[in-house]
Amino acid sequence: MLLVAGVVWAMAGEFSSSLPRAELWRMVREGVAGYTAVKGQEAGELIQASGETWRQLRNGPLFTGGAIVLGGTLALLALFYLLRGQVKLEKPRTGIKILRWNLGERMLHWFVAVLFIILTVTGLTLLYGKAVLLPWLGKAQFAYWAQLAKWLHNISGPLFIAGLVPMILIWFKDNLWRPGIDWAWFKALGGLVGRAHPPAERMNAGEKGWFWLLMTVGALLSITGLLLDLPLFGLERESMQMIHLIHGVSAFLVIAGALGHIYIGTIGTEGALEGMIHGEVDLSWARQHHDLWLEALEKEGRFSLAKSDTRIERPESFFKPEK
Ligand code: HEM
């Protein structure tokens, strides 16, 4: 209080002649620093004026835009499911299992996925909690949850990055863009519309798109999150506010992508989730969705279709590429 009074007094003193209050507030808005004996970054600034701009952007376009993006994505996915339904296996299962994701890949995937879900729920609480949860939970309960959410969000972020970086590294090669194959996949809309099955490698073009969204916007989300988490670089509040808005916008883009990814990985495609849970997919699934991957395995001598066809009676997994 003393500090504030001192700064106001110092500023007001300079304009005691005409309209002192108007002059004072004009200077405050412009961020002119007053005198204070307190040492510290921006200590002499009475009111951080750009904070008001940030507040309006956060509570306006970010708040509404984010709700539109997420609501719109969910509505589109629901509509798509109603129109298209699940992409079913076209051929009966052979009982022959092919290892698609090894244990390390699966553990990394679920580590990142669980943290992402925690970050999404807690992040959305930080932005929408006051409007959506407070009236519903009441002040005391909401205060507990909001504090917990903020804490969880702050510690989950670095853990998420610790999982995302190796995930990007191990799947980088599989996600390199192959124009011929990948554009053709997109043109055929990945077989999601119509019945055509465009050829695909270990990762199809849709998966590659998700991967590159994580590589770019996900990286931006992570870096801005770290800067907000650890304000070690002496950034002024104005920069932090800008970083916060970039963090929010990139979060909505990645969450929308994740909703699409989760849809395709669960109810959207028969047999995809079992691959990410048990590691193995049925030969019919691999042929239908990732035929070029299967061919590549065969060329490398890591899988023989002829051999597998003779072993249909042995349903247990015999193909373990990591061994
Ligand atoms: C409940 C949440 C999730 C489910 C059910 C899920 C499911 C799946 C499934 C089934 C696959 C294998 C697809 C295939 O075999 O072609 C997969 C792959 C993958 N997932 Fe997830 N996932 C989830 C969340 C996430 C999150 C949050 C991330 C990253 C932030 C992520 C990143 C990936 C990546 C990079 C791949 C490799 C293929 C690709 O590039 O899409 N997943 N996921």
Side-chain angles (χ1 to χ4, degrees), residues 100-101 109 113 116 167 171 207 210 261-262 265-266 272 276 285:
R100 180 156 168 74
W101 312 105
H109 176 269
F116 187 86
M167 191 185 198
W171 286 337
E207 289 171 318
W210 168 228
H261 170 73
I262 292 168
T266 53
M276 203 33 107
W285 188 91

Side-chain angles (χ1 to χ4, degrees), residues 100-101 109-110 112-113 116-117 160 164 167 171 175 202-204 206-208 210-211 214 258 261-262 265-266 272-273 276 281 285 290:
R100 180 156 168 74
W101 312 105
H109 176 269
W110 292 118
V112 170
F116 187 86
I117 291 166
F160 169 77
L164 187 67
M167 191 185 198
W171 286 337
N175 281 287
R202 186 183 189 208
M203 309 294 191
N204 63 41
E207 289 171 318
K208 289 182 184 180
W210 168 228
F211 178 89
L214 284 175
H261 170 73
I262 292 168
T266 53
L273 187 59
M276 203 33 107
V281 291
W285 188 91
H290 296 273

Side-chain angles (χ1 to χ4, degrees), residues 45-65:
E45 206 174 318
L46 182 62
I47 293 175
Q48 197 243 346
S50 63
E52 178 55 17
T53 314
W54 166 77
R55 199 183 67 82
Q56 283 174 8
L57 288 172
R58 177 198 184 271
N59 296 348
L62 185 68
F63 187 95
T64 320

